[in-house]
Amino acid sequence: MAFSSLNHYVDYEWVEYAYRCTRKDGAHGVDGQSARDYAKDLQGNLVRLIDRLKSGCYRAPPVRRHYIEKSDGGQRGLGIPSFEDKVAQRAVLMLIEPIYEQDFVEGSYGFRPGRNAHQGLRVVRRALAQKGRRWVLDVDIRKYFASIEHAKLRQFLARRVSDGVVRRLIDKWLSAGVLEEGRLHYPETGTPEGGVISPLLANIYLHYVVDEWYAEAVSSRLRGSSTLVRYCDDFVMLFVFEEDVRRVLGVLSLRLGKYGLQLHPDKTRVVDCRIPRRWPPRVVDRNLPTSFNFLGFTHVWGRSRWGMSAVRQYTAKDRLARSLKAINEWCRRMRHWPLRDQQQRLSRMLQGHYAYYGISSNIERLQALHRAAQRLWRKWLSRRSRRSNISWEKFLRLLARFPLPPPRIIHRYT
């Protein structure tokens, strides 16, 4: 059933809590207002915001577009909303997220409370190692967030939320413009760029397009069992038989095309993850890839310490290169800082890397990152001046005084 009356929950305490949950250190939007400026008259600003939200007078300001570099050399556009718009989106998100949490399937792990990427990685590992899923469909949707059709999204929202105030607010965010290099334009597709509510809308869209379709119309028609693991627009399907993965690949593009989405022809592929019969593995005659990347990890069969076949999950090469590039850039910037400050900054970066990539079977890649970070730190310390060439002997004495955190496994799957 659809909820027709929700906006009465949006009172002062509700919006104040949304304000407390909103990040205060983000970049400024088109109005230039910071969180500190907004907090000077917090009570008055929140009261006026509630009045505008409920009366329909609220106008969603355009987002400011900013570009960042991608790992493949391209650029990714990011939207920067105004601070008050973030608070308003957070309030609506808190209102409708519990409703859709009752509908979302078990295999969805992205941008949901109580769920994270490591849970999805465990499911993938278990499907390969224990449930006999040997054929993987690695799916990539081309420009997903910018391709969502507004009319179809509104139809999906109407199934569960029909409150007029909430629906008008979402429509305003969908039609809010984008300010880029002084020019304002209005995209006809896509979710609010950089908006707090954007991940939830993206999850709702793929829930009906992929998850519900897969559970009701696909899994029951397959020869063998299968597993779907999705993290927002990044998902994989694991099958027992090759004929199943071929059939699903044939209809998946038609299903996505019906809702304005398109598979990336180069990144969507079938992966043969059968256990190699001999080590080292021979080249497969069918010329299919035998490993795939998902959630920043490369999934491949390897050998355990006892000589048994085991699923190994390593840091993907592009993610490792991205981390090393960031460490190199920070070492260059802070080479004139005090050594204690440099050591603290590098330690935070390494600990953040370990917190995500510190999983079972990935210790070698963590050690490689740790060694590379030490080499980069020594390189830039040697470039502080013409006379500051640091030998390895001297650098090791420095590491004894200012040690970097050693790699460690945080998420143990075995």
Side-chain angles (χ1 to χ4, degrees), residues 38-52:
Y38 196 81
K40 292 179 180 178
D41 185 18
L42 180 60
Q43 184 175 358
N45 287 330
L46 294 182
V47 170
R48 288 188 290 270
L49 175 61
I50 295 172
D51 292 340
R52 285 182 285 133

Side-chain angles (χ1 to χ4, degrees), residues 122-182:
R122 288 191 182 94
V123 174
V124 172
R125 185 189 187 111
R126 191 180 305 117
L128 290 171
Q130 302 176 11
K131 297 186 177 181
R133 316 286 200 262
R134 298 292 185 257
W135 295 91
V136 179
L137 180 57
D138 185 10
V139 182
D140 185 274
I141 302 177
R142 174 180 286 177
K143 298 181 180 179
Y144 169 64
F145 284 90
S147 303
I148 295 177
E149 294 187 358
H150 294 170
K152 295 288 196 307
L153 178 60
R154 293 187 182 99
Q155 294 176 8
F156 293 149
L157 289 170
R159 298 186 183 186
R160 296 292 275 153
V161 177
S162 60
D163 184 282
V165 173
V166 176
R167 293 294 303 279
R168 280 195 299 269
L169 286 172
I170 296 177
D171 287 343
K172 290 179 179 180
W173 287 318
L174 291 176
S175 58
V178 177
L179 184 64
E180 182 178 2
E181 296 180 353

Side-chain angles (χ1 to χ4, degrees), residues 349-408:
M349 295 184 70
L350 291 175
Q351 289 170 349
H353 187 91
Y354 302 156
Y356 182 77
Y357 293 100
I359 69 173
S360 299
S361 77
N362 196 34
I363 189 63
E364 294 179 0
R365 292 287 171 91
L366 299 182
Q367 292 172 344
L369 178 81
H370 184 263
R371 292 191 297 267
Q374 291 180 344
R375 291 194 299 268
L376 292 173
W377 194 18
R378 173 183 171 271
K379 181 186 76 171
W380 287 108
L381 287 178
S382 298
R383 298 184 181 183
R384 302 179 82 175
S385 66
R386 294 182 179 179
R387 299 181 180 180
S388 60
N389 187 25
I390 300 178
S391 64
W392 271 106
E393 181 180 359
K394 182 178 179 181
F395 181 69
L396 291 177
R397 291 198 301 267
L398 184 144
L399 283 178
R401 295 174 53 202
F402 306 100
L404 296 179
R408 62 193 186 100

Side-chain angles (χ1 to χ4, degrees), residues 135 222-224 239-248:
W135 295 91
L222 299 178
R223 176 186 170 190
F239 305 87
V240 175
F241 300 106
E242 181 182 7
E243 61 183 87
D244 288 339
V245 70
R246 298 293 182 183
R247 291 175 57 194
V248 173

Side-chain angles (χ1 to χ4, degrees), residues 249-273:
L249 178 60
V251 299
L252 181 59
S253 59
L254 299 177
R255 174 68 179 182
L256 295 179
K258 181 180 177 181
Y259 296 94
L261 304 178
Q262 183 181 3
L263 290 177
H264 198 293
D266 299 327
K267 297 181 180 180
T268 301
R269 56 182 188 163
V270 175
V271 183
D272 182 1
C273 280

Side-chain angles (χ1 to χ4, degrees), residues 3-11 14-15 50 53-55 92 95-96 161-169:
F3 286 81
S4 59
S5 180
L6 291 171
N7 67 87
H8 61 277
Y9 289 106
V10 183
D11 53 14
W14 188 280
V15 179
I50 295 172
L53 291 177
K54 292 192 173 185
S55 65
V92 175
L95 196 63
I96 65 176
V161 177
S162 60
D163 184 282
V165 173
V166 176
R167 293 294 303 279
R168 280 195 299 269
L169 286 172

